[in-house]
Amino acid sequence: MTERLYLLNYAGGGRVTPFIMNCAVILLLISRCFTWSSALYTPERAASKKLKYLLEPPVSADVTGQRGDNVTLPCILRTKPSHYKVKWTKIEPEKVGPENIIMISNAHAFKPYGHLGQRASLRKAHAMDASLHLSRLELEDEGTYRCELVNGIEDESVTITLRIEGVVFPYQSKDGRYRFNYQEAKEACAAQDGTLATYNQLYRAWTEGLDWCNAGWLHDGTVHYPIIHPRPVCGGELPSGIRSYGPKDKNNDRFDAFCFTSQTSGSVFYIAGAFSFEQAGHTCKNQGAEMALIGQLYAAWHFHNFDQCDAGWLKDGSVRFPISNPRERCGGIPEAGVRSFGFPDKNTHVYGVYCYR
């Protein structure tokens, strides 16, 4: 039996493949350079206006966390006006409709709003502390947040960006390349313990070694693919970078997906054997586990250096194996990554299984 091995060149988890960071090239004859920035805590105000009530933020304050963590977004008052409120919102430029308010508070009480508000509280470390505490971080929590002091006269605000530590993985339908519209791509990522990646997440993944020649949907409805090693079938005349198709029709255009996931609460383990897909499922169940999802396997590889030179079934019907220590007999590729055999016939009795518990 002949198997076709699809290789993902992705030197993640601290194993970065050396390469030159060129300007990202936009297709359709548009060229521009992308710059890398970590999470910055910056005042949202005119350049000439200094903050009066809110403490001038530091030059750079990274706020990062993994899924399930608790984090605090700092917002400190320098002085208090006689009457004021503090309003926390999540800034979502692509969202249509009312702003995403998380919490409104004054000197005496606070009121939470929406899904984020259910996991939010004020830190109140001291009388001038208006910092927001978020518990049990979720993948969708990454983004930019605004702390706004409202007194009806001299309103002012600062913004801070929260980054979720995680890993981006490309995902393709079992029916082949370019089968997802936007909503289907979003659902496919969710089914694999992930969410559609943002552009910043894809860019970070590219700097860590993600090289993938198929275009995929991102969270904002744009379509991109990251290239480290230009080659004829992947726009070989262009330098390395993030190739972009720009915004596409979410209902009618079809591409693959770039998904994002983070740390999980359980663990992935491998069981050797020569199972059919159905037998693999029963094998995990007998161990008090279930077949692993793609995102769970990537998280184990990225956060725990999971290394297993054996192909195994996953819950979506694909067969893969994670390599943290590249070697000749495990794919022969010098970069670490998760290797894929695609979606074999489910009646094939060749592979072991990856379980999650």
Side-chain angles (χ1 to χ4, degrees), residues 8 167-170 261 294-303 320 338:
L8 170 58
V167 57
V168 172
F169 60 96
T261 194
I294 307 299
Q296 292 165 346
L297 183 64
Y298 268 90
W301 167 74
H302 180 79
F303 288 104
R320 305 171 193 249
V338 176

Side-chain angles (χ1 to χ4, degrees), residues 21-292:
M21 293 297 179
N22 292 316
C23 292
V25 177
I26 304 298
L27 296 181
L28 304 177
L29 303 181
I30 301 175
S31 177
R32 81 184 213 195
C33 290
F34 294 97
T35 59
W36 165 246
S37 62
S38 58
L40 298 179
Y41 183 64
T42 56
E44 188 180 336
R45 64 191 191 283
S48 60
K49 181 182 178 182
K50 292 186 177 182
L51 295 175
K52 179 178 179 180
Y53 298 111
L54 296 176
L55 185 66
E56 188 77 24
V59 174
S60 173
D62 293 345
V63 176
T64 62
Q66 298 175 7
R67 176 169 48 185
D69 284 353
N70 301 327
V71 298
T72 299
L73 308 183
C75 183
I76 308 299
L77 277 64
R78 181 195 302 273
T79 185
K80 294 181 180 180
S82 56
H83 301 284
Y84 74 95
K85 293 180 180 179
V86 172
K87 180 171 70 172
W88 276 97
T89 55
K90 185 179 182 186
I91 302 172
E92 298 175 320
E94 69 274 9
K95 180 182 178 181
V96 178
E99 62 182 346
N100 186 1
I101 299 175
I102 303 168
M103 179 178 294
I104 297 178
S105 68
N106 57 27
H108 307 290
F110 69 88
K111 183 177 180 180
Y113 293 85
H115 176 68
L116 272 169
Q118 298 174 17
R119 296 182 285 114
S121 61
L122 292 180
R123 182 174 62 177
K124 292 187 176 180
H126 49 80
M128 310 299 281
D129 188 9
S131 301
L132 186 71
H133 182 78
L134 288 177
S135 62
R136 305 184 305 280
L137 285 182
E138 299 178 358
L139 297 177
E140 295 81 3
D141 292 347
E142 176 160 315
T144 303
Y145 293 75
R146 177 190 292 121
C147 174
E148 182 178 7
L149 186 143
V150 181
N151 71 351
I153 301 174
E154 296 178 287
D155 298 349
E156 59 188 38
S157 63
V158 294
T159 60
I160 186 167
T161 299
L162 170 64
R163 183 170 74 86
I164 305 297
E165 294 179 356
V167 57
V168 172
F169 60 96
Y171 191 69
Q172 186 177 95
S173 167
K174 67 181 187 306
D175 297 320
R177 182 172 177 257
Y178 294 173
R179 297 302 178 96
F180 299 135
N181 64 23
Y182 175 81
Q183 184 60 33
E184 290 166 345
K186 187 175 180 179
E187 292 170 357
C189 288
Q192 298 307 317
D193 193 43
T195 185
L196 276 175
T198 65
Y199 179 82
N200 285 343
Q201 289 167 345
L202 182 66
Y203 184 82
R204 286 197 296 264
W206 174 65
T207 67
E208 294 173 353
L210 180 57
D211 180 276
W212 195 251
C213 197
N214 292 341
W217 290 103
L218 295 183
H219 183 267
D220 62 357
T222 59
V223 173
H224 307 260
Y225 65 99
I227 293 296
I228 292 174
H229 305 292
R231 43 208 185 271
V233 295
C234 303
E237 72 281 3
L238 302 173
S240 62
I242 307 291
R243 314 281 199 250
S244 175
Y245 291 145
K248 305 300 290 185
D249 187 319
K250 291 183 177 181
N251 295 317
N252 298 316
D253 288 329
R254 294 186 175 273
F255 297 94
D256 293 340
F258 285 105
C259 307
F260 174 81
T261 194
S262 184
Q263 179 69 283
T264 64
S265 58
S267 60
V268 175
F269 59 96
Y270 175 77
I271 299 177
F275 308 122
S276 67
F277 177 77
E278 183 178 0
Q279 289 172 337
H282 291 309
T283 300
C284 288
K285 188 175 181 179
N286 291 339
Q287 297 295 319
E290 57 185 0
M291 296 176 75

